[in-house]
Amino acid sequence: MTTNLRGGARTFVIAVTCLLALLTACGGGNKSAAPSGTSAPTPQAAGTVGPPAIIAGNVFTSIALGYRVTFPESWQPDENFVVNPEFTLDAFLAPDDVNGVRPNITVRCDRTANLTPESFVAVKRQIADSFAAGEVTDAPTTVAGQAATRLQYEQRAGDKLVRKTETHFVARRCGWSIQLTRGVNDSQFDALFDRMLASFEFTNPNGG
């Protein structure tokens, strides 16, 4: 798998998010792999990028992946934050760091031709267990009418401890992962994540 880099920097939380995305695609990783710096170059698309998203106010419609979501006011969408043959990841960034962490939400589509919902969630749970700094909790939920699993845990990223909330499900030839990363004491972002998750919908109601 090839990932090119482009100019610019992101806070270390986004760097960890993308690192986890890459490790998941490769099937594993270890806790020491998380970067220790406070910023990192931004990964660029290394696969085929589809038509650009439509952004109207804070409504983001992905033409390439076929979903629509309402992201928090003043947040910055970053379409195709990572693209390669295995998965595509869109990122939504808070405008500022909060207590040294830039909160962010990512929407990821893994190509899952041979995965069932159960096996997809099992892989994601294994990854979470390998990175968690403590217990991983899970609970059933629904997203866009699809049965889903929510994982929550804390993860060390350099000298920071961050809180991860991940929601995983399989639909439309994708294994979907929608994830919030925030500071451990910044629970005010949980409501923003829940509202964004509730707004998630597929743009083609008939599938495809």
Side-chain angles (χ1 to χ4, degrees), residues 4-12 14-15 18 38-44 76 78 81 93 102:
N4 298 320
L5 300 179
R6 67 174 182 238
R10 291 287 187 268
T11 57
F12 76 95
I14 284 291
C18 290
T38 57
S39 64
T42 304
Q44 181 172 320
Q76 173 189 341
D78 195 339
F81 191 84
L93 316 176
R102 190 174 186 185

Side-chain angles (χ1 to χ4, degrees), residues 74-95:
S74 77
W75 283 40
Q76 173 189 341
D78 195 339
E79 182 188 12
N80 296 324
F81 191 84
V82 180
V83 178
N84 63 40
E86 288 80 29
F87 67 89
T88 298
L89 185 146
D90 297 326
F92 303 84
L93 316 176

Side-chain angles (χ1 to χ4, degrees), residues 85-168:
E86 288 80 29
F87 67 89
T88 298
L89 185 146
D90 297 326
F92 303 84
L93 316 176
D96 300 296
D97 287 9
V98 179
N99 297 320
V101 174
R102 190 174 186 185
N104 64 87
I105 297 170
T106 58
V107 178
R108 169 174 165 161
C109 163
D110 284 274
R111 281 74 178 178
T112 58
N114 299 317
L115 282 180
T116 65
E118 294 77 14
S119 61
F120 178 68
V121 171
V123 168
K124 296 298 183 179
R125 176 59 191 257
Q126 182 180 17
I127 295 295
D129 286 338
S130 71
F131 279 92
E135 180 185 9
V136 178
T137 64
D138 63 80
T141 187
T142 59
V143 179
Q146 305 293 320
T149 298
R150 173 172 288 202
L151 304 178
Q152 291 183 300
Y153 59 97
E154 294 179 358
Q155 176 197 323
R156 187 157 297 282
D159 61 348
K160 302 291 184 182
L161 195 64
V162 298
R163 178 76 170 175
K164 300 274 189 178
T165 300
E166 305 173 354
T167 302
H168 305 290

Side-chain angles (χ1 to χ4, degrees), residues 54-60 69-75 77:
I54 299 172
I55 303 171
N58 63 326
V59 177
F60 178 96
V69 72
T70 301
F71 58 91
E73 294 283 353
S74 77
W75 283 40

